[in-house]
Structure formats: structure tokens, C-alpha cells
Amino acid sequence: MTQPIPNATRNTRQRAEVLALLAETDGFRAAQDLHQTLRQRGVKVGLTTIYRTLQLLVDAGEVDATRSHAGEQLFRRCSRTHHHHLVCRHCGRTVEVRGPAVERWADKVASEHGFTDVGHTVEIFGRCPDCPA
Amino acid sequence: MTQPIPNATRNTRQRAEVLALLAETDGFRAAQDLHQTLRQRGVKVGLTTIYRTLQLLVDAGEVDATRSHAGEQLFRRCSRTHHHHLVCRHCGRTVEVRGPAVERWADKVASEHGFTDVGHTVEIFGRCPDCPA
DNA sequence: TTATATGCAAACGCTTTGCAGTAGG
DNA sequence: CCTACTGCAAAGCGTTTGCATATAA
């Protein structure tokens, strides 16, 4: 199974489900998305509980959170190999890109300022070749 | 004065005001923030109009948009020297950082994929020195 | 047993939309 | 004059909160 949530005083079925689902996934996922997936699998978990569990995980540093372009909050388990996105401003097309240089730069900048437990998000946007001006 | 909005068919007082305010500012600003500033200056512009004008500017490629950690949409005039943020996950403290290396990397990655009119956002997060685990 | 977790429903904050009135060209 | 723009009010959408109920320990 998965690890219990560090700060949790009780380990419930619902929390285990959320944690297990996050463990399956590499990238960022929206809370509502996680909820829907669990429902589809017949797992009964309230949306509220998912939000609360995710918040707990973020506070515990187990999960990183960002915002999607559309405004949803996105969550991902920490310490996964991750990628960034190159997004077309016009058609929304998305390309996954990797950048070891940025990862290193981010860690360096953060530690220069005394920050620890460092994560980062990068998004590059522009006009893709299929969307002429 | 400022340039008219490229796609606009009419140039109104309200649009000029929004554009002028954006021109004054270097960083990202929330729509509501722009609205409040204009109201404080005695300029009468509806919040709706601000949102619609900003959307127009984004479509025209005059303005870049991101999301704040809190979920607000943030806007900034393009082609400004800009910085990125190093944010403490716990207390919210923010440090402005600059990274020529990232700027170059982003442009390179984008052009390798045929993207033009490239912009990017970067956010580094972690635990700041004043927030011990 | 009892404090914590759950889940519904209602509240919230930001953003978008419908529509009648206003004004640029 | 005519169509685009404005702005209010209301709807939309993701997220959070209040509160009664269920449950882990």
C-alpha cells in the first residue's frame, strides 16, 4: 500500500483512495478529475474530502500544487520526474518539454535564497506553427 | 498616448484607460486590481469592460496572462523586462528573481518546436529560511 | 467512547454572459 | 444611423466552509 499522510491523526478509506490514485499518476491532476476517476471506479468519496485531503498533503509537503491556465488547481506527487509545457496561445495545443538546465537553475536560485524543499513550474507559451498570424 | 488595440473596431475611453494603466506597470496585475486602481483615480470603468478589454489584448498578443497561486488571472504587457518569483509554500513570502538562462532556454525550446511570439512563466516554490519544518 | 473525518448543501470569490442602454465612426 | 461597446445584474465554475452524521482508534 501507500504511506499514511504524515499529519493525519486518522487513516481513513477515503484518504487511502486519494493517495493511491495520486501514486498511480506522474503528472498534475485536477481535484475534480481525481474525484471523477474515483467515482467511475465505483469508489465513493466526496469532492469535499478530496479537496481537504489534497490540502493536507500540500501542507505536509507530499504534494505540489499549481494552477492550470483555466484556473483549476492542479496537484502532483512530489519527487517525480516531471516535464513542462509549451502551449499554443491560440489553439491550445500542448507539447511536453524537458529542461535539465531549468531544473538546475531553479534549485540553485532557491538555495541561494535559503529555500529548501524546492519545486517549480514552468510554462512556455506562444503561437504554434499551425496557427499563422 | 498609447497604441490602439489591434483588433478593436472602436477606440473608447475605457479601453484607453486600461491600456494606459497597463503601460505604467512592469509586472503582472490582476483584473480586479486594475479596476480598483482606476476607481481610486476617479476613472469610471466597469469591471466587465476591464475583463473584456484584457481578453481582447490577450487575443491580440499584446498581453500575457497567467494564474496566481490564489487562482486569479494575472495580466502583463508583453515585451517588458520581467522577473520570476520564488515563493514560500508556507508563509507566502515572495522573492523576485531573474534568470537570463531560463529566458534563453525557453526561447530555444519554443523555436525548436516552431513556436513564435514566445513568452513564459516560471515559479519556484519551497520552504523559506524563516519557516522551519 | 469521543474527537476527528466525512459529505451534503450553502457560501464564496473570480470570471463570464445576457441584455438594455450608450456612444463611436 | 447603425453597430460595437458598456455596465449592471445574474449565472457559472472551481473551491471552501458550516454543520450534522459517521467512524477510526
Side-chain angles (χ1 to χ4, degrees):
Chain A
M1 284 302 287
T2 24
Q3 308 285 359
I5 299 178
N7 287 352
T9 59
R10 273 180 210 183
N11 287 354
T12 64
R13 176 184 59 78
Q14 289 90 333
R15 286 183 182 175
E17 298 281 11
V18 173
L19 215 36
L21 181 51
L22 276 173
E24 292 176 23
T25 320
D26 266 16
F28 279 101
R29 301 199 53 182
Q32 312 237 16
D33 181 20
L34 296 168
H35 183 232
Q36 204 179 323
T37 299
L38 289 175
R39 307 279 289 180
Q40 281 170 359
R41 294 185 185 177
V43 177
K44 288 202 50 174
V45 184
L47 182 55
T48 309
T49 298
I50 293 188
Y51 277 111
R52 283 197 274 233
T53 302
L54 288 169
Q55 190 50 59
L56 218 54
L57 288 164
V58 170
D59 291 346
E62 294 284 306
V63 158
D64 283 338
T66 333
R67 289 275 171 176
S68 74
H69 188 68
E72 301 164 287
Q73 211 169 350
L74 302 178
F75 304 88
R76 150 190 95 185
R77 276 214 8 230
C78 290
S79 42
R80 289 256 157 190
T81 62
H82 69 283
H83 53 261
H84 301 298
H85 292 284
L86 173 55
V87 185
C88 178
R89 196 159 13 214
H90 298 268
C91 68
R93 204 181 104 198
T94 296
V95 182
E96 293 187 359
V97 297
R98 248 154 248 279
V102 190
E103 323 295 336
R104 273 184 266 109
W105 171 81
D107 289 347
K108 181 174 131 278
V109 167
S111 66
E112 280 173 3
H113 288 272
F115 279 58
T116 51
D117 299 331
V118 179
H120 64 268
T121 57
V122 175
E123 189 177 88
I124 310 177
F125 44 89
R127 182 193 305 274
C128 82
D130 302 337
C131 285
Chain B
M1 283 301 287
T2 25
Q3 307 285 1
I5 299 177
N7 286 352
T9 59
R10 275 181 208 181
N11 286 354
T12 64
R13 177 184 58 80
Q14 289 89 335
R15 286 184 183 173
E17 298 281 12
V18 173
L19 215 37
L21 181 50
L22 276 173
E24 292 176 22
T25 321
D26 267 16
F28 279 101
R29 301 200 52 183
Q32 312 237 17
D33 181 20
L34 295 170
H35 183 233
Q36 204 179 320
T37 299
L38 288 176
R39 307 278 292 178
Q40 282 170 359
R41 294 187 185 177
V43 177
K44 287 202 53 175
V45 183
L47 182 55
T48 310
T49 299
I50 293 188
Y51 277 111
R52 283 198 274 233
T53 301
L54 288 169
Q55 190 52 59
L56 217 55
L57 288 165
V58 170
D59 291 345
E62 295 284 307
V63 158
D64 284 337
T66 334
R67 288 275 172 178
S68 74
H69 187 67
E72 301 165 289
Q73 211 169 349
L74 302 178
F75 304 88
R76 146 190 98 188
R77 277 214 7 229
C78 290
S79 41
R80 288 257 157 187
T81 62
H82 67 284
H83 54 261
H84 300 299
H85 292 282
L86 172 56
V87 184
C88 177
R89 194 157 18 213
H90 298 268
C91 68
R93 203 182 103 195
T94 296
V95 181
E96 294 188 359
V97 296
R98 250 154 246 278
V102 191
E103 323 294 335
R104 275 185 263 111
W105 170 81
D107 289 347
K108 181 173 131 280
V109 167
S111 64
E112 279 173 4
H113 288 273
F115 279 59
T116 51
D117 298 330
V118 179
H120 64 268
T121 56
V122 176
E123 188 177 271
I124 309 176
F125 44 89
R127 181 193 305 275
C128 81
D130 302 336
C131 285

Coordinates of all heavy atoms in Angstrom, one line a residue, chain B residues 10-11 31-32 47-48 51-52 67 72-73, chain C residues 13-19 22-25:
Chain B
R10 N -13.5 49.9 -32.4 CA -13.7 51.2 -31.9 C -12.8 51.5 -30.8 O -12.5 50.6 -30.0 CB -15.2 51.3 -31.3 CG -16.2 51.6 -32.4 CD -17.5 51.7 -31.8 NE -18.5 51.3 -32.8 CZ -19.8 51.4 -32.6 NH1 -20.3 51.7 -31.4 NH2 -20.6 51.1 -33.5
N11 N -12.3 52.7 -30.7 CA -11.5 53.1 -29.6 C -12.2 53.9 -28.6 O -12.5 55.1 -28.8 CB -10.2 53.8 -30.1 CG -9.3 52.9 -30.8 OD1 -9.5 51.6 -30.7 ND2 -8.2 53.4 -31.4
A31 N -7.0 41.6 -12.8 CA -8.0 42.4 -13.4 C -8.7 43.3 -12.3 O -8.9 44.5 -12.5 CB -9.1 41.6 -14.1
Q32 N -9.0 42.7 -11.2 CA -9.7 43.4 -10.1 C -8.8 44.5 -9.5 O -9.3 45.6 -9.1 CB -10.0 42.4 -9.0 CG -10.7 41.2 -9.5 CD -12.1 40.9 -8.9 OE1 -12.7 41.8 -8.3 NE2 -12.6 39.7 -9.1
L47 N -16.0 46.7 -14.3 CA -15.1 45.5 -14.2 C -15.3 44.7 -15.4 O -14.3 44.1 -15.9 CB -15.5 44.8 -12.9 CG -14.6 43.5 -12.6 CD1 -13.2 43.9 -12.5 CD2 -15.1 42.9 -11.2
T48 N -16.5 44.5 -15.8 CA -16.8 43.7 -17.0 C -15.9 44.2 -18.2 O -15.3 43.4 -18.9 CB -18.2 43.8 -17.4 OG1 -19.0 43.5 -16.2 CG2 -18.6 42.8 -18.5
Y51 N -12.3 43.2 -17.9 CA -12.1 41.8 -18.3 C -12.2 41.6 -19.9 O -11.4 40.9 -20.5 CB -13.2 40.9 -17.7 CG -12.8 40.4 -16.3 CD1 -13.6 40.9 -15.2 CD2 -11.8 39.6 -16.0 CE1 -13.3 40.6 -13.9 CE2 -11.5 39.2 -14.7 CZ -12.2 39.7 -13.7 OH -11.9 39.3 -12.4
R52 N -13.2 42.3 -20.5 CA -13.3 42.1 -21.9 C -12.1 42.7 -22.7 O -11.6 42.2 -23.7 CB -14.7 42.7 -22.4 CG -15.8 41.7 -22.0 CD -17.1 42.0 -22.8 NE -17.9 43.0 -22.1 CZ -19.2 42.8 -21.8 NH1 -19.8 41.7 -22.1 NH2 -19.8 43.8 -21.2
R67 N -1.9 32.6 -14.1 CA -2.8 32.5 -13.0 C -1.9 32.6 -11.7 O -0.8 32.1 -11.6 CB -3.4 31.1 -12.9 CG -4.5 30.9 -13.9 CD -5.8 31.4 -13.5 NE -6.8 31.3 -14.6 CZ -8.0 31.7 -14.4 NH1 -8.5 32.1 -13.2 NH2 -8.9 31.6 -15.4
E72 N -6.3 33.8 -9.2 CA -6.7 35.0 -10.0 C -5.9 34.9 -11.3 O -4.8 34.4 -11.4 CB -6.3 36.3 -9.3 CG -6.9 36.5 -8.0 CD -6.1 37.6 -7.3 OE1 -5.0 37.4 -6.9 OE2 -6.7 38.8 -7.2
Q73 N -6.5 35.6 -12.3 CA -5.8 35.7 -13.6 C -5.0 36.9 -13.6 O -5.4 38.0 -13.1 CB -6.9 35.8 -14.7 CG -6.5 35.2 -16.0 CD -7.6 35.1 -17.0 OE1 -8.8 35.3 -16.6 NE2 -7.3 34.8 -18.2
Chain C
dG13 P -15.8 36.1 -0.3 OP1 -14.9 36.5 0.8 OP2 -17.0 36.9 -0.7 O5' -14.9 35.9 -1.6 C5' -13.8 35.0 -1.6 C4' -13.2 35.0 -3.1 O4' -14.1 34.1 -3.9 C3' -13.2 36.3 -3.8 O3' -12.0 36.4 -4.5 C2' -14.4 36.3 -4.7 C1' -14.5 34.8 -5.0 N9 -15.9 34.4 -5.3 C8 -17.1 34.9 -4.7 N7 -18.1 34.3 -5.1 C5 -17.7 33.4 -6.0 C6 -18.4 32.4 -6.8 O6 -19.6 32.3 -6.8 N1 -17.5 31.7 -7.6 C2 -16.2 31.8 -7.6 N2 -15.5 30.9 -8.4 N3 -15.5 32.6 -6.9 C4 -16.3 33.4 -6.1
dC14 P -11.6 37.7 -5.3 OP1 -10.2 38.0 -5.0 OP2 -12.7 38.7 -5.2 O5' -11.7 37.1 -6.8 C5' -10.8 36.0 -7.2 C4' -11.2 35.5 -8.5 O4' -12.6 35.0 -8.4 C3' -11.2 36.5 -9.6 O3' -10.4 36.0 -10.7 C2' -12.6 36.7 -10.0 C1' -13.3 35.4 -9.6 N1 -14.7 35.4 -9.3 C2 -15.6 34.5 -9.9 O2 -15.2 33.8 -10.8 N3 -16.9 34.6 -9.6 C4 -17.3 35.4 -8.7 N4 -18.6 35.4 -8.4 C5 -16.4 36.3 -8.0 C6 -15.1 36.3 -8.3
dT15 P -10.2 36.8 -12.0 OP1 -8.9 36.3 -12.6 OP2 -10.4 38.3 -11.8 O5' -11.4 36.3 -13.0 C5' -11.5 34.9 -13.3 C4' -12.7 34.6 -14.1 O4' -13.9 34.8 -13.4 C3' -12.8 35.5 -15.4 O3' -12.9 34.6 -16.5 C2' -14.1 36.3 -15.2 C1' -14.8 35.4 -14.2 N1 -15.8 36.1 -13.3 C2 -17.1 35.7 -13.4 O2 -17.5 34.8 -14.1 N3 -18.0 36.4 -12.5 C4 -17.6 37.4 -11.7 O4 -18.5 37.9 -10.9 C5 -16.2 37.8 -11.7 C7 -15.7 38.9 -10.8 C6 -15.4 37.1 -12.5
dT16 P -13.1 35.2 -18.0 OP1 -12.3 34.3 -18.9 OP2 -12.8 36.6 -18.0 O5' -14.6 35.0 -18.2 C5' -15.2 33.7 -18.0 C4' -16.6 33.7 -18.3 O4' -17.4 34.4 -17.3 C3' -17.0 34.3 -19.7 O3' -17.9 33.4 -20.3 C2' -17.6 35.6 -19.3 C1' -18.3 35.3 -18.0 N1 -18.5 36.4 -17.0 C2 -19.7 36.5 -16.4 O2 -20.6 35.8 -16.6 N3 -19.8 37.6 -15.5 C4 -18.7 38.4 -15.2 O4 -18.9 39.3 -14.3 C5 -17.5 38.2 -15.9 C7 -16.3 39.2 -15.6 C6 -17.4 37.2 -16.7
dT17 P -18.4 33.7 -21.8 OP1 -18.3 32.4 -22.6 OP2 -17.8 34.9 -22.3 O5' -20.0 34.0 -21.6 C5' -20.6 33.5 -20.4 C4' -22.1 34.0 -20.5 O4' -22.3 35.0 -19.5 C3' -22.6 34.5 -21.8 O3' -24.0 34.2 -21.9 C2' -22.4 36.0 -21.6 C1' -22.7 36.2 -20.1 N1 -22.1 37.3 -19.5 C2 -22.8 38.0 -18.5 O2 -23.9 37.7 -18.1 N3 -22.1 39.0 -17.8 C4 -20.8 39.4 -18.1 O4 -20.3 40.3 -17.5 C5 -20.1 38.7 -19.2 C7 -18.7 39.1 -19.5 C6 -20.8 37.7 -19.8
dG18 P -24.8 34.5 -23.2 OP1 -25.3 33.2 -23.8 OP2 -24.0 35.4 -24.1 O5' -26.1 35.3 -22.7 C5' -26.7 35.0 -21.5 C4' -27.9 35.9 -21.2 O4' -27.4 37.1 -20.5 C3' -28.5 36.5 -22.4 O3' -29.9 36.7 -22.2 C2' -27.8 37.8 -22.7 C1' -27.5 38.2 -21.3 N9 -26.2 38.9 -21.1 C8 -25.0 38.6 -21.7 N7 -24.0 39.4 -21.4 C5 -24.6 40.3 -20.4 C6 -24.0 41.3 -19.7 O6 -22.8 41.7 -19.7 N1 -24.9 41.9 -18.8 C2 -26.3 41.6 -18.8 N2 -27.0 42.3 -17.9 N3 -26.8 40.6 -19.4 C4 -25.9 40.0 -20.3
dC19 P -30.9 37.2 -23.3 OP1 -32.2 36.6 -23.0 OP2 -30.3 37.1 -24.6 O5' -31.0 38.8 -22.9 C5' -31.1 39.2 -21.6 C4' -31.1 40.7 -21.5 O4' -29.7 41.2 -21.4 C3' -31.6 41.4 -22.8 O3' -32.3 42.6 -22.3 C2' -30.3 41.8 -23.5 C1' -29.4 42.2 -22.3 N1 -28.0 42.2 -22.6 C2 -27.1 43.0 -21.9 O2 -27.6 43.8 -21.0 N3 -25.8 43.0 -22.1 C4 -25.3 42.2 -23.1 N4 -24.0 42.3 -23.3 C5 -26.1 41.4 -23.8 C6 -27.5 41.4 -23.6
dT22 P -29.1 55.2 -21.7 OP1 -28.9 56.1 -20.6 OP2 -30.1 55.5 -22.8 O5' -27.6 55.1 -22.4 C5' -26.5 54.6 -21.6 C4' -25.3 54.7 -22.5 O4' -25.3 53.7 -23.5 C3' -25.1 56.0 -23.2 O3' -23.8 56.5 -22.9 C2' -25.3 55.7 -24.6 C1' -24.9 54.3 -24.7 N1 -25.5 53.4 -25.8 C2 -24.6 52.7 -26.6 O2 -23.4 52.8 -26.6 N3 -25.3 52.0 -27.6 C4 -26.6 51.8 -27.7 O4 -27.1 51.1 -28.6 C5 -27.5 52.6 -26.9 C7 -28.9 52.5 -27.0 C6 -26.8 53.4 -25.9
dA23 P -23.2 57.9 -23.5 OP1 -22.3 58.4 -22.4 OP2 -24.4 58.7 -23.9 O5' -22.4 57.4 -24.7 C5' -21.4 56.5 -24.6 C4' -20.7 56.2 -25.9 O4' -21.6 55.5 -26.8 C3' -20.4 57.5 -26.7 O3' -19.3 57.3 -27.5 C2' -21.7 57.6 -27.6 C1' -21.8 56.2 -28.0 N9 -23.1 55.8 -28.5 C8 -24.3 56.3 -28.1 N7 -25.4 55.7 -28.7 C5 -24.8 54.8 -29.5 C6 -25.3 53.8 -30.4 N6 -26.6 53.7 -30.6 N1 -24.4 53.0 -31.0 C2 -23.1 53.1 -30.8 N3 -22.5 54.0 -29.9 C4 -23.4 54.8 -29.3
dG24 P -18.1 58.3 -27.6 OP1 -17.4 58.2 -26.3 OP2 -18.6 59.6 -28.1 O5' -17.2 57.7 -28.7 C5' -16.6 56.4 -28.5 C4' -16.5 55.6 -29.8 O4' -17.8 55.3 -30.3 C3' -15.8 56.4 -30.9 O3' -15.0 55.5 -31.7 C2' -17.0 56.9 -31.8 C1' -18.0 55.9 -31.6 N9 -19.4 56.3 -31.6 C8 -19.9 57.3 -30.8 N7 -21.2 57.5 -31.0 C5 -21.6 56.6 -31.9 C6 -22.9 56.3 -32.5 O6 -23.9 56.8 -32.2 N1 -22.8 55.2 -33.4 C2 -21.6 54.6 -33.7 N2 -21.7 53.6 -34.6 N3 -20.4 54.8 -33.2 C4 -20.5 55.8 -32.3
dG25 P -13.9 56.0 -32.6 OP1 -12.8 55.0 -32.5 OP2 -13.6 57.4 -32.3 O5' -14.5 55.9 -34.1 C5' -15.1 54.7 -34.5 C4' -15.8 54.9 -35.9 O4' -17.2 55.3 -35.7 C3' -15.2 56.0 -36.7 O3' -14.9 55.6 -38.1 C2' -16.2 57.1 -36.7 C1' -17.5 56.4 -36.5 N9 -18.5 57.1 -35.9 C8 -18.4 58.1 -34.9 N7 -19.5 58.6 -34.5 C5 -20.5 57.9 -35.2 C6 -21.9 58.0 -35.1 O6 -22.6 58.8 -34.4 N1 -22.5 57.1 -35.9 C2 -21.8 56.2 -36.8 N2 -22.6 55.4 -37.5 N3 -20.5 56.1 -36.8 C4 -19.9 57.0 -36.0

